[in-house]
Amino acid sequence: MSNTPSPQRLIALGADGADILYRLGVWPQVVGVTTFYKPPPHVEEKPRVCGFSSGNIEAILKLQPDLVITSTDVQHRIAADLIKAGVTVLALNSRSLEEIYVAIRNLGQLLGKYSQAEHVVAQMMRDLEPVAVNGAPRPRVYFEEWPDPLTTGIGWVSELVERAGGIDIFDDRRHEKKAAARMVTPEEVIERDPEIIFASWCGKPVEMGEITSRAGWNQLSAVRSGRLFEIPSDNILQSGPGLVRGYELLKREIGRMAAPSRKRYQSRVGRPVRAKVSSSTAMSTPDLSDAKFFINRELSWLAFNRRVLEEAQDPTQPLLERVRFLGIVTSNLDEFFEVRVAGIKQQIEHESNDSGPDGMSARQTFNAIRQDVLKLIDDQYQLWHHELLPDLGKHGVYLHDFKTLNKQDHAWATAYFRDEVFPVLTPLAVDASHPFPQLQNKSHNLFLRLKRPERPTEILHAVVAIPRVLPRLVRIPHPNAEEWHYILIQNLIQNHIHDLFPGLTVEQVYGFRLTRNSDLYIDEEEAENLLRTIEDELRKRARGNAVRLEIEHGCPPDMRRALLDIFKLSDDDLYPVNGPLNFLHLMPLTSIDALASLRDKPYVPVTSHVLPAGGDYFDVVRHKDVLLHHPYQSFASVVEFLQHAACDPAVLAIKMTLYRTSGDSPIVHSLIHAAEQGKQVTVLVELRARFDEANNILWARQLEEAGVHVVYGLVGLKTHCKVLMIVRRDEDRLRHYLHLGTGNYHPSTARFYTDLSLFTANQELGEEVAMLFNTLTGLSEFTGVKNLLVAPFQMHDMFLKLIQHERDLARQGKEGRIIVKLNSLVEESLIIALYEASQAGVKIDLIVRGICCLRPGVPGVSDNIRVISIVGRFLEHSRVFYFGNGGKPKVYLGSADWMPRNLYRRVEVVFPVLDAGLRKRITDVIIPAYLSDCVKARVLGSDGVYTRSVCPEGSEPAQAQLTFRNLARKSASHSLAAKTEKPVYEVRKAPAK
């Protein structure tokens, strides 16, 4: 790194530059600013040294600046004079939002404040997030930057108009660099007939009378309706964070005309913004932002967990698989309360009035969640007691209560408690001198009420935490090898609890489990070392605020109340359970070797014949793209691809993103080996992968110690994309080999997550991925790409355009077709775009495993949309995007769901399938298999309820995951047969002379 000191005496010739310097935290180093800058209250004033296009050179030189910053070419004469005088001048001169972000980052780097600059950019990107549009057309907008000659808005203004929900009537001039190229004639404005006019005359007061009196302008829609607005220049024409103020005004006024589709925007501006339409218009054009067209996100997630429970309830499932699904329901609920319910409780605590697109407040959502969860839990325990537990007994698996054990088993259990359990237990009194202990998140505990024989009226309380080192399920030895007898550790301790309190009478003892808020709170700007900060937050996670109390059924009201008061919870946070406190404790039952017949038959992923083990992967991929479908085709091919690269002397560099991977990962070992071989290895590690933070920290340190360049991504953004790039010197040239996927580089989860992998050496994709890595690891700005869809930069806008293109085709009488497979669909503007496409006649199929806030089948809104969810043996994880494109289909794969977090707060990559053969495999094999599933698919109705798909009469039951397993086996067997058969050569006759 350079040792050159950063500038210490700064002058900003523009208000935007001064504002950026203030936000970067270098205001004490500023010695002069423009007269147009208005600093925040109580901020130290600085000498005023220039106007808009003129400056006092002598005054500037007296201040002895070592850096002068200008933001516009209008100040070129000042800049030239200063340069002649030997002063360093930095000209930012941005024209677009992207160029503004670049300028802020470059300035931050120059001043040694790059992390602060990233924070400023991230905040701007969040504040300038596009609003959703509803069913009405976008209003036509004219922005006037100068009256004589008429000049329309600079590039970023045009972008902001579009983000605010309007259409800039002169968006064809957006990319012009010089103001002269943005000059327009009054006749052009009349011809394009704006519905709204915004004006900002570069600091000069706008005279509305002058605008309305122009010849012919009295007939403009905007003038007739009185929609003319002035925006202060420092809110819209300054290339910095001040643009946010102007954007808010744009959104407000555009929103008044075309009702904004984001309810949180309505809350933010604090006023009703419903479009005024006649009753006949309202009947024919429904407001697509209406809450009735959206399903609540949290309730949709609970509906997904209900579908998981249905797998446990399905009597056609193998018995131990039903037990496994029962445990998954519990695990899912744990995370839901730790993160989602915790956030809702915070909204209620802060009395937030913000609501989602469904219109439900935080309190309404919380109440609805409670009702659904209570029913879900009740169904879980009914299933356990009335079906699963009796069925296990029929197969020789018994779960005992200590009190019902025979004499021999009773003696064994008592001895086991004495020798293995008692020594690690710690009784903890709860009284004035013994405050209630700090219990860990999701810990298993016992709460006791005791008395002293000599003081029978005095009530005592105590807690016994059941250490995590103890097995939750204890097997009792039995002479019959075909029987398995167990007792829960809680039950064993409860029946020996008096041993821990000699001299006291144990009156009551009940198990309870506490769930805490487990979201990490990290201010990356204040965190000098992100890795260490996350380690600190992980320690705090175990002590987060309580959000749920699960307690054994039958616990007396006074004991329940005592616990609720201790944890500052209400009755609505209490969930009594009638059975095992945590069904995850029963998971060891699913691994009994002798009961393999009660599990799914093991599935061994097949190795693709295109990438055979030990083959030359680089030679294969150099000649053609390869698509793998996991877990049906082995993830080992991905691992071996990286292992080959680590050992290949022709490989010069490896770059990779890692969101999650296994603890003893061969991926990590290969990266370490590559670094040890002297290759340039760079790994972008996401430390904030929820509930995998500790694991990621561990192997991030291992990589760093081996000499791998470990980078932690962009400030304010999670890196969620799945990208591997290998740079290899081939005989003809340097080439990029890529692996792009929909799933994590996690060999363990790859065995039961469905994902798609693409291997390619496509030159354009390679160059774009290389540029992406430069953005993620260095100071390079994202400058746009042709093929990839990259969040948070342009993915949302690109998806919107792809949907709108299908809509426009349908409006022209052509066929529009959209098929999307996702984990979750939440983002409002995309949902509304799908509604618009459906109204136009586009046939839309959505395969959404989890949350779906879109309501299909609503007459006049979503008649042409079908939503299915597939929950089966493997976790559906791949994301597939199909757009008919007038008979020339576009197919994309990637890591992103259609959720705000994926589109705006994460680095995501969606990539095109360019090879025609692979594209055909997806469109003709993979997608149809999902759409025809009538075994594991559920169909979402307009009422928000999922029902089992029904197979067409007379047809064989179709199950996508079974189809893919059979196809993979068939492909492998054909490959084996081809290898054993003698080759057949075609004999060609010589051409006739």
Side-chain angles (χ1 to χ4, degrees):
M1 294 182 61
S2 172
N3 294 320
T4 304
S6 59
Q8 297 299 309
R9 297 184 62 80
L10 311 171
I11 288 180
L13 301 183
D16 37 14
D19 189 29
I20 294 170
L21 293 176
Y22 169 73
R23 293 171 188 263
L24 293 180
V26 295
W27 194 248
Q29 296 159 231
V30 175
V31 296
V33 295
T34 174
T35 56
F36 289 103
Y37 181 58
K38 300 173 184 176
H42 313 300
V43 172
E44 178 190 1
E45 279 285 349
K46 302 291 183 178
R48 307 292 174 146
V49 296
C50 70
F52 184 61
S53 59
S54 61
N56 188 331
I57 301 299
E58 185 178 347
I60 293 174
L61 295 176
K62 283 184 178 179
L63 292 172
Q64 299 181 329
D66 50 9
L67 180 65
V68 173
I69 301 154
T70 176
S71 307
T72 171
D73 55 7
V74 176
Q75 297 174 330
H76 67 278
R77 289 190 178 87
I78 309 174
D81 289 342
L82 291 172
I83 292 171
K84 289 177 182 178
V87 177
T88 301
V89 177
L90 174 64
L92 303 180
N93 207 26
S94 305
R95 292 290 183 272
S96 66
L97 291 177
E98 283 297 329
E99 290 177 1
I100 292 172
Y101 300 151
V102 170
I104 295 173
R105 287 183 172 124
N106 287 344
L107 188 55
Q109 176 67 18
L110 183 63
L111 300 176
K113 297 288 183 179
Y114 188 69
S115 62
Q116 288 89 337
E118 282 292 346
H119 177 73
V120 172
V121 170
Q123 186 61 52
M124 277 189 70
M125 293 175 71
R126 286 191 289 270
D127 291 339
L128 299 179
E129 184 176 300
V131 302
V133 295
N134 62 8
R138 289 172 175 259
R140 299 183 302 277
V141 176
Y142 167 57
F143 185 94
E144 188 168 289
E145 186 176 305
W146 192 248
D148 186 20
L150 288 184
T151 306
T152 190
I154 196 169
W156 71 68
V157 174
S158 179
E159 291 180 72
L160 292 178
V161 166
E162 182 177 321
R163 286 169 176 256
I167 296 177
D168 176 14
I169 63 171
F170 291 111
D171 63 353
D172 53 331
R173 320 264 173 110
R174 177 183 299 180
H175 302 292
E176 297 294 345
K177 295 293 186 182
K178 294 186 176 296
R182 291 186 278 109
M183 293 177 185
V184 300
T185 65
E187 291 73 25
E188 285 180 292
V189 178
I190 293 172
E191 180 183 355
R192 303 191 187 196
D193 188 25
E195 297 167 283
I196 305 176
I197 294 175
F198 294 99
S200 186
W201 289 353
C202 297
K204 174 184 174 182
V206 174
E207 297 179 17
M208 291 300 177
E210 178 183 331
I211 294 176
T212 58
S213 63
R214 292 170 186 161
W217 281 41
N218 60 330
Q219 295 303 310
L220 292 178
S221 297
V223 175
R224 292 204 315 270
S225 62
R227 292 194 178 96
L228 292 85
F229 307 97
E230 178 178 5
I231 303 181
S233 296
D234 56 353
N235 291 349
I236 196 70
L237 296 180
Q238 305 288 354
S239 56
L243 290 177
V244 172
R245 299 188 295 271
Y247 183 53
E248 291 296 321
L249 194 150
L250 288 172
K251 287 195 297 185
R252 187 184 71 203
E253 300 305 336
I254 292 174
R256 285 181 172 182
M257 183 172 182
S261 58
R262 292 192 175 186
K263 302 298 180 183
R264 58 176 176 268
Y265 166 65
Q266 292 181 8
S267 172
R268 188 159 63 242
V269 299
R271 64 181 68 189
V273 284
R274 189 67 62 191
K276 297 179 181 179
V277 295
S278 67
S279 58
S280 61
T281 303
M283 290 289 289
S284 60
T285 308
D287 176 6
L288 298 181
S289 69
D290 195 305
K292 66 186 179 184
F293 299 137
F294 293 85
I295 298 171
N296 180 272
R297 170 190 169 141
E298 317 306 339
L299 300 185
S300 180
W301 183 91
L302 286 171
F304 160 68
N305 212 28
R306 165 66 64 179
R307 298 194 291 280
V308 178
L309 179 60
E310 287 174 1
E311 292 298 301
Q313 294 170 323
D314 185 355
T316 67
Q317 288 268 25
L319 178 58
L320 295 185
E321 298 301 331
R322 298 177 70 187
V323 174
R324 183 172 66 87
F325 276 112
L326 196 69
I328 292 172
V329 172
T330 294
S331 176
N332 287 348
L333 273 178
D334 284 350
E335 183 172 341
F336 180 66
F337 272 89
E338 288 175 279
V339 179
R340 299 303 305 176
V341 176
I344 291 169
K345 285 174 67 68
Q346 287 177 328
Q347 282 184 283
I348 295 171
E349 181 182 344
H350 296 148
E351 300 181 349
S352 169
N353 294 320
D354 202 8
S355 62
D358 58 284
M360 292 179 68
S361 68
R363 170 54 69 180
Q364 290 171 326
T365 301
F366 179 83
N367 293 340
I369 287 171
R370 177 167 173 78
Q371 295 307 311
D372 279 12
V373 172
L374 285 171
K375 181 66 169 65
L376 192 71
I377 292 173
D378 183 62
D379 290 347
Q380 266 190 294
Y381 284 92
Q382 290 287 337
L383 175 65
W384 171 248
H385 288 298
H386 298 294
E387 293 188 42
L388 300 185
L389 187 59
D391 286 353
L392 286 169
K394 294 175 185 177
H395 291 88
V397 180
Y398 304 95
L399 188 62
H400 295 282
D401 185 327
F402 180 81
K403 293 184 176 66
T404 64
L405 292 175
N406 61 37
K407 186 176 181 181
Q408 181 179 352
D409 291 345
H410 188 283
W412 182 91
T414 298
Y416 180 86
F417 173 82
R418 183 184 62 246
D419 298 338
E420 301 292 334
V421 179
F422 181 82
V424 298
L425 296 178
T426 303
L428 300 168
V430 179
D431 55 30
S433 60
H434 299 88
F436 200 89
Q438 181 67 46
L439 302 178
Q440 286 196 327
N441 180 36
K442 295 185 291 187
S443 59
H444 198 156
N445 311 279
L446 299 175
F447 189 48
L448 297 86
R449 184 166 66 197
L450 313 99
K451 286 186 177 179
R452 299 182 190 275
E454 67 275 15
R455 293 197 291 256
T457 60
E458 181 185 4
I459 296 177
L460 305 174
H461 288 112
V463 171
V464 175
I466 302 177
R468 291 180 175 173
V469 295
L470 294 176
R472 269 31 187 172
L473 197 61
V474 179
R475 185 177 179 186
I476 302 172
H478 199 273
N480 187 343
E482 295 184 357
E483 291 185 3
W484 295 265
H485 295 259
Y486 295 92
I487 185 172
L488 287 166
I489 193 71
Q490 174 188 321
N491 185 261
L492 180 63
I493 296 173
Q494 282 175 310
N495 283 277
H496 293 85
I497 199 70
H498 53 275
D499 292 354
L500 290 167
F501 299 92
L504 297 175
T505 301
V506 178
E507 287 198 334
Q508 303 280 354
V509 55
Y510 289 91
F512 73 93
R513 186 168 177 259
L514 190 70
T515 308
R516 296 183 180 275
N517 184 334
S518 296
D519 233 358
L520 299 185
Y521 301 99
I522 300 167
D523 184 350
E524 294 182 47
E525 283 306 303
E526 298 299 324
E528 293 183 8
N529 187 314
L530 184 58
L531 186 145
R532 188 176 300 119
T533 301
I534 291 180
E535 286 183 310
D536 293 341
E537 284 296 317
L538 287 175
R539 285 189 282 272
K540 295 177 186 176
R541 172 183 278 172
R543 307 189 301 275
N545 292 335
V547 296
R548 176 182 60 163
L549 178 64
E550 296 169 283
I551 196 161
E552 257 188 294
H553 181 76
C555 181
D558 64 305
M559 294 180 69
R560 294 203 307 262
R561 173 50 53 196
L563 285 173
L564 289 172
D565 290 346
I566 287 167
F567 298 122
K568 297 182 174 61
L569 295 173
S570 71
D571 290 333
D572 288 339
D573 301 310
L574 180 68
Y575 292 86
V577 296
N578 187 22
L581 201 57
N582 184 351
F583 281 115
L584 288 172
H585 295 170
L586 303 175
M587 294 302 272
L589 299 178
T590 66
S591 302
I592 298 174
D593 291 337
L595 298 179
S597 62
L598 302 181
R599 293 194 296 270
D600 283 327
K601 292 181 180 179
Y603 176 76
V604 179
V606 303
T607 300
S608 169
H609 66 277
V610 182
L611 293 176
D616 187 343
Y617 282 24
F618 295 112
D619 184 60
V620 173
V621 176
R622 184 163 56 249
H623 289 92
K624 63 178 178 180
D625 292 357
V626 178
L627 182 72
L628 298 185
H629 196 181
H630 311 298
Y632 316 105
Q633 292 175 296
S634 177
F635 187 78
S637 297
V638 180
V639 175
E640 191 167 342
F641 183 55
L642 185 57
Q643 290 172 338
H644 281 220
C647 300
D648 189 339
V651 169
L652 306 180
I654 299 173
K655 297 185 179 183
M656 188 177 194
T657 62
L658 279 178
Y659 189 73
R660 301 184 197 273
T661 192
S662 53
D664 188 28
S665 171
I667 298 285
V668 173
H669 291 314
S670 294
L671 293 169
I672 290 173
H673 180 63
E676 291 172 345
Q677 296 300 307
K679 304 183 190 307
Q680 181 77 15
V681 182
T682 304
V683 179
L684 198 143
V685 175
E686 182 46 71
L687 292 180
R688 295 155 297 179
R690 184 171 288 149
F691 301 118
D692 264 343
E693 298 94 344
N695 187 45
N696 288 9
I697 287 172
L698 179 64
W699 51 256
R701 284 208 166 107
Q702 293 175 357
L703 290 168
E704 285 181 324
E705 291 170 1
V708 174
H709 297 290
V710 177
V711 183
Y712 299 123
L714 300 178
V715 174
L717 300 173
K718 275 189 179 181
T719 302
H720 189 247
C721 54
K722 329 298 182 185
V723 181
L724 166 63
M725 181 178 76
I726 295 168
V727 182
R728 188 175 189 268
R729 186 176 297 283
D730 291 337
E731 291 182 1
D732 55 338
R733 63 180 177 86
L734 211 63
R735 183 174 276 109
H736 297 100
Y737 291 86
L738 306 177
H739 173 266
L740 307 171
T742 67
N744 298 306
Y745 291 104
H746 198 306
S748 298
T749 60
R751 291 197 291 268
F752 54 89
Y753 279 32
T754 74
D755 277 301
L756 289 159
S757 282
L758 177 71
F759 296 84
T760 181
N762 180 277
Q763 184 172 346
E764 284 191 359
L765 290 180
E767 291 171 354
E768 292 183 8
V769 168
M771 188 276 292
L772 174 63
F773 272 111
N774 289 341
T775 300
L776 295 177
T777 63
L779 303 178
S780 301
E781 180 59 33
F782 182 82
T783 55
V785 288
K786 173 185 175 183
N787 296 286
L788 299 178
L789 280 59
V790 184
F793 306 108
Q794 36 74 292
M795 182 182 289
H796 170 269
D797 291 346
M798 292 300 297
F799 274 133
L800 208 56
K801 289 176 182 177
L802 288 165
I803 296 171
Q804 291 168 347
H805 179 62
E806 298 301 315
R807 177 202 65 192
D808 294 343
L809 287 174
R811 287 176 176 173
Q812 297 165 18
K814 301 176 183 177
E815 183 181 4
R817 188 74 169 103
I818 297 172
I819 306 170
V820 176
K821 181 178 181 293
L822 296 162
N823 295 342
S824 298
L825 171 55
V826 176
E827 210 281 332
E828 299 158 55
S829 63
L830 293 178
I831 290 175
I832 290 174
L834 290 171
Y835 285 156
E836 291 175 341
S838 172
Q839 289 177 322
V842 179
K843 184 181 178 184
I844 302 171
D845 279 291
L846 304 174
I847 308 159
V848 187
R849 184 196 79 215
I851 303 168
C852 181
C853 296
L854 178 147
R855 195 179 291 277
V858 178
V861 174
S862 53
D863 317 62
N864 292 309
I865 302 178
R866 177 176 180 253
V867 178
I868 65 171
S869 170
I870 294 177
V871 178
R873 174 176 179 176
F874 302 125
L875 182 77
E876 290 297 334
H877 193 252
S878 57
R879 288 87 164 184
V880 183
F881 310 91
Y882 170 93
F883 301 93
N885 193 37
K888 298 178 181 179
K890 292 185 176 183
V891 178
Y892 296 86
L893 309 173
S895 61
D897 289 311
W898 282 358
M899 302 179 75
R901 72 183 187 190
N902 299 95
L903 297 168
Y904 307 126
R905 300 190 296 276
R906 288 183 172 183
V907 178
E908 303 274 14
V909 171
V910 168
F911 50 93
V913 180
L914 301 176
D915 182 272
L918 299 184
R919 198 163 54 240
K920 187 175 179 62
R921 177 182 168 192
I922 293 171
T923 59
D924 293 4
V925 178
I926 294 177
I927 289 177
Y930 281 120
L931 295 180
S932 61
D933 192 312
C934 56
V935 177
K936 293 298 183 182
R938 280 85 164 174
V939 181
L940 176 60
S942 59
D943 57 358
V945 176
Y946 286 83
T947 56
R948 287 266 188 184
S949 180
V950 178
C951 297
E953 188 175 349
S955 66
E956 289 292 325
Q959 183 178 344
Q961 294 187 359
L962 182 59
T963 298
F964 296 139
R965 294 201 296 272
N966 291 336
L967 286 172
R969 292 191 186 103
K970 185 177 179 181
S971 174
S973 63
H974 283 180
S975 173
L976 182 62
K979 289 180 180 178
T980 55
E981 290 176 0
K982 292 182 179 179
V984 177
Y985 300 97
E986 180 182 359
V987 179
R988 297 187 179 182
K989 295 181 180 179
K993 293 183 180 179

